[in-house]
Amino acid sequence: MVFFLTWQHWLVVISTCLFAYGGWAYIRDTLAGRSKPNRVTWGMWALAPLIGTGAALYAGADPWAVARVFLAGFLPLCVFLASFVNKQSYWKLDMFDILCGIFSLAALGAWWLADSPNTAILFAAIGDGFAALPTVRKAWAHPETETGTAFVMSLLASILMLPAIPVWDIQNSAFQIYLLAANTVLIVAVYRKQLFK
């Protein structure tokens, strides 16, 4: 039996390649000590999408639509682990970072209480948003510690995924919409000096 990819599947494949390239660039810069990832952000960025992936699949979401969300958790996990390899790539955490991590964990923990896949997806996005705040703050104050390419590729990948969403419901589209918003904010934080000269 021959399996043919539809145009939606091709969008997922291209989107995944773009996202993987951005993730590779961030991992490369982290290992070289050029990027200094906030471990709260990247650790939680790994956890929230992986939970979102499990919840979406459990709710019956299309696996092709969820593939990008899975990658949105796997690559941050790689960045998080890479931050332990080079001591020059460590960003010192403060109370704001820790509080964001606590709120992020609390949002993810709400899934267990709600016992609803759709609620889990929404709480995963909220948790991911809290996790993003430390990096948004750091990127705004110290854009040189970030690899903006990762966020640009992630935004492009998210845009490409929109036509591939089979049904615009919570399980298929909520996390994609969140990724569009989060990456736009991060790009502005990293490149604001160039964008608003």
Side-chain angles (χ1 to χ4, degrees):
M1 180 177 175
V2 179
F3 178 71
F4 293 100
L5 294 179
T6 65
W7 67 270
Q8 292 97 335
H9 294 144
W10 279 111
L11 287 179
V12 173
V13 169
I14 295 167
S15 170
T16 300
C17 290
L18 287 171
F19 187 73
Y21 174 77
W24 171 81
Y26 203 105
I27 293 165
R28 178 201 64 211
D29 287 355
T30 299
L31 292 172
R34 291 187 295 269
S35 285
K36 301 180 186 308
N38 181 298
R39 288 179 182 161
V40 168
T41 292
W42 290 91
M44 295 308 299
W45 273 352
L47 187 59
L50 293 176
I51 289 176
T53 298
L57 290 173
Y58 181 76
D62 181 71
W64 279 93
V66 177
R68 246 288 274 124
V69 178
F70 168 76
L71 199 58
F74 179 72
L75 287 174
L77 177 63
C78 294
V79 170
F80 177 77
L81 295 174
S83 74
F84 290 95
V85 174
N86 186 341
K87 293 186 180 181
Q88 298 296 320
S89 66
Y90 170 69
W91 185 260
K92 187 176 178 185
L93 303 178
D94 60 18
M95 185 55 71
F96 177 80
D97 302 324
I98 293 167
L99 286 174
C100 286
I102 290 169
F103 285 126
S104 182
L105 279 173
L108 295 179
W111 175 42
W112 298 104
L113 297 175
D115 195 29
S116 163
N118 286 344
T119 303
I121 293 164
L122 292 176
F123 276 116
I126 291 168
D128 205 73
F130 274 117
L133 291 177
T135 292
V136 170
R137 185 179 74 150
K138 180 173 79 72
W140 190 269
H142 304 282
E144 72 282 357
T145 66
E146 291 296 330
T147 300
T149 303
F151 307 124
V152 171
M153 292 296 110
S154 183
L155 178 64
L156 292 175
S158 297
I159 291 169
L160 273 179
M161 282 298 296
L162 296 179
I165 294 173
V167 179
W168 282 85
D169 54 13
I170 291 173
Q171 59 263 33
N172 285 303
S173 62
F175 220 92
Q176 294 299 329
I177 293 167
Y178 158 74
L179 290 172
L180 285 170
N183 283 296
T184 300
V185 170
L186 285 160
I187 289 167
V188 170
V190 172
Y191 293 115
R192 68 186 167 82
K193 291 179 182 177
Q194 294 94 318
L195 292 172
F196 303 114
K197 276 186 178 180

